[in-house]
Amino acid sequence: MPRPPPALTFTLHARCSTTRARASTLLLPHGPVQLPIFMPVATQASLKGLTYAQLRDAGCRLCLNNTYHLGLKPGKEVLDAVGGAHRLQGWGGNLLTDSGGFQMVSLLKLAKVTEEGVRFLSPHDGEPMLLTPEHSIALQNSIGSDIMMQLDDVIATTSPDLERMREAMHRSVRWLDRCIAAHRRPENQNLFCIIQGGLDLELRRECVEEMVKRDTPGIAIGGLSGGEAKDAFCRVVKECTGLLPEGKPRYVMGVGYPEDLVVAVALGADMFDCVWPTRTARFGNAVVPTGTLNLRNAAFATDFGPIDTECRCEVCRPVSEGGLGITRAYLHHLAGKETAGAHLLTVHNVSYLLALMGRVREAILEDRFPEFLKGWFERRFPDGAPGWAVEALAGVGVSIRGGEEEGKGDVEMAEG
Amino acid sequence: MPPFALTSTLSRPVARLGTLALRSRSPIQTPHYAANTSRGVVPHLAHDNLQKHTDIRALYLGLEDFIEKTPPRVPPVFEIHPDSTGSRLRAFTHHSPAPLLILGPRRVPPVESPAANTNATLSICTSVGFRTLDIEEYISAGAALQPDIIIAPGDIVPPTSSRKRAEKSTDRTDLWVSTMLTRAQETPYPAVFAPLLPLAPEQQMWYTQLLCDPDYRPHISGLAVYDTESLLDLPEELQLLPRLALTTPANPVAILREIALGVDLFILPFVDHASDAGFALDFTFPAPAPAPHADPLPLATSLWSAEHTIDLSPLRPGCTCFACTNHHRAYIHHLLATKEMLGWVLLQLHNHSVMSEFFAGVRQSIARETFEADVEAFSRAYEADMPSAAGPGPRVRGYQFKSKGHGEPKANPKAYNKLDDMAENIADATMPDPDIDAEELQEHGLGKALEDEEMK
């Protein structure tokens, strides 16, 4: 049966002559977005206190909503009546939704996957429920997201059960077929497949082959960000991007630490999402080129400088340049006490990651990405970069200075 | 321009039109209100939202929000370099030069302190607990922080206080205010608003006489009113001073009543409370002409109400605020239901916009000399009280309320449950008042309930 054309145009502008990094433009139903891109997560159709004007001013043109959460509130019926999630939240930019499956497994205890779908207990009354690929797609059709994700069989990459991993991978392929069949609006919404297979490269290769055959407009690499070692994560990303077609966007799901993003870009990935920058903002943490600052720390009480003197975001830019010029001291004063403080930090953190991806893109376009990487890692890890990053970048032809201790500066992955 | 000029003259308590122009701040037409702040911010409003999407002209700040560190440690607000307007308070809180900053010793309304004031100290509540504030320290803070207006310290006691306590209150206030006014003559100092105590006029007669003293009167820029009754029989010399009410009227009719008694400027915590409770204010002054025999209109719309679930209309038809021009009721209902912070942000933007328009309407009405009739029509058109809250608000913090001791319910509901609760839920099938049941979940299209299978 002839497939309608995808609801996106992917234009590759430049490839790094050393690494696998790419600079491209993705034209989506709600406007163009420039890749590589970080996508902030507006879980319940709202980005943690920010207005969509603030989000737009921060440079965001594509953010996430979570299908599971929107399915509970406001629910499919309301989404249909309102005319989709864009209209619900007054957002003229693009939306990407996950399948809802990940939340079943990560948020809900006692979820069980069968061929039919994911069985889980209602979070509200403990009643047994079932989420199928058809349900997930129907809900994402009601949401009207510009990019929707297939329902996949997610299990922790750290699972030692290779048979279960293989089963999950094959099931994800079968579910993709069911998702494609159930998709009612392919001319307006793009359905991405999700490569599974855990940390087993053979399974990943097999999965890529099967998924690519289905010719979805974009491709996600899933099942990562579940607490696996960073070197294993990098190997999987590199293995997959090596096999994926050039002409489609590649999305690594649930990845959000700055060092993870720049390495994954070098490995050939284009799109990322993570709740970490927005969540950590609510804990009083500001993302800066050297790492993070916990502004609740008493040391910041009389620090009257901006979060980051180089940052061009609304919060950091001095008043003389049209910004708010908010000091660390005042954010310390508000941290944990007034939500407006969290809003300001969220604006900064989101802006920081969007701007970081902007600089990465510029470096790729000007073919100086390897130099960018070196400079960036020197600054972020003055005592030497963590082993996994050194190794991963060496694998794509860039040598950065490593630290003495293995895994120094390594931090746990966040997910949500 | 004089600091405060009245357009209307008066011989009896009457609504007044005025212009308050202090320092180089842009003048404020009165009657008007100052937005209340918590730790320097209007609750829920980041600075960019405040500047771009509100018409707030004045802010009230309580010093107790800035002085967790007790002497000899210096609170950070005293260490920052003053901003272009010469104010450390403005520099620290990052407000633009536009709004007038009004500093008082305490939040409005203050959390009741277990300890009484002394001859030389006020009892205050900081975010880390109760402490005392030396009057001397507060007076110095005026010079150091340079707000536009500082409210002179008063020994504020309940109107029901004994005669003896009332006397002590006036004696202390007498001393404290004269000390501040003396200081104001020696150093560059903010405009001083002297308190009128919440006592009958005759009980504070000696004190109000002091304020009229030629040594002091020229250095008083306004009055801080704690009870409008104190405005009765006010000496002639004090009549023309602007009056800032800390009476916190709880609804527009109460505001109008106080305007009629000659109040010029208000602090209105009820606006922020309305937002927290999920209300969009919905009144205009003058009131629209009512349909004959119509029931009084509610003052606010509860966005908690399920009737807004798919309502794509703005909070108030024709409203030009950011919330109404960018969003609809269905979204704000959704934000409240999901406890997303943006719900309160949008309601604040709307509610403060409604208040700005309300006061603009009041001023026009006074100028037209139809105020009395308009107030009467307003009282007939609208319900007297704000509706009661239909859902929970944002988390409250320790410095916002006072614990009454053992046995009181939790101020904030538990945010998280152990995952194991889920297992218990299965064992205990009859959950009390579940938010939503599986059938509803199924209707929402999230999944379908399994009929006869148990979870393995």
Side-chain angles (χ1 to χ4, degrees), chain A residues 43-54 56-57 67-79 81-82 87-91 104 106-112 116 119-132 135-136 139 282 298 301-302 304 314 323-330 332-334 336-344 347, chain B residues 38-49 51-53 65-69 74-77 79-81 91-95 107 127-128 309-312 322 326-328 330-331 334-335 337-342 345-346 349 397 399-400 419-420 422-423 425-426 429 431 434-439 441-450 453-456:
Chain A
T43 302
Q44 309 192 86
S46 170
L47 191 89
K48 301 306 163 200
L50 267 56
T51 65
Y52 279 102
Q54 285 174 300
R56 200 175 49 235
D57 291 348
T67 296
Y68 166 79
H69 291 87
L70 293 193
L72 285 176
K73 284 177 185 174
K76 185 172 185 300
E77 211 174 297
V78 172
L79 287 163
V82 167
R87 282 198 75 194
L88 175 72
Q89 61 209 297
W91 171 233
M104 300 290 158
S106 71
L107 294 185
L108 303 175
K109 218 173 178 183
L110 305 176
K112 186 173 166 59
E116 205 180 355
R119 293 155 188 246
F120 64 102
L121 297 179
S122 155
H124 295 288
D125 57 8
E127 284 288 305
M129 310 282 299
L130 178 66
L131 178 78
T132 65
H135 284 130
S136 171
L139 200 44
R282 299 198 297 287
T302 52
F304 300 124
E314 178 82 9
L324 296 170
I326 306 283
T327 56
R328 295 171 172 187
Y330 194 54
H332 171 84
H333 182 75
L334 296 178
K337 299 204 170 70
E338 281 299 327
T339 54
H343 302 165
L344 292 167
V347 168
Chain B
S38 180
R39 302 187 73 74
V41 291
V42 177
H44 309 294
L45 297 186
H47 297 62
D48 49 348
N49 285 333
Q51 290 168 16
K52 290 175 190 166
H53 308 307
D65 271 351
F66 299 91
I67 51 173
E68 283 86 8
K69 292 186 195 310
V74 180
V77 67
E79 295 198 359
I80 196 168
H81 190 71
F92 187 74
T93 56
H94 300 288
H95 287 296
R107 294 165 65 91
S127 71
V128 295
T309 307
I310 56 168
D311 187 345
L312 299 182
F322 178 87
N326 288 279
H327 297 289
H328 42 67
Y331 185 46
H334 166 73
L335 293 171
T338 49
K339 299 190 178 69
E340 281 288 341
M341 289 181 279
L342 184 60
V345 173
L346 295 175
L349 292 176
R397 309 285 171 179
Y399 51 87
Q400 297 171 335
L419 278 171
D420 295 332
M422 199 65 80
N425 289 355
I426 310 167
M431 282 272 291
D435 255 349
I436 181 176
D437 59 19
E439 214 165 275
L441 205 63
Q442 186 185 357
E443 281 170 14
H444 287 164
L446 191 69
K448 67 175 184 191
L450 297 173
E453 307 208 39
E454 80 271 21
M455 304 295 292
K456 283 175 229 158

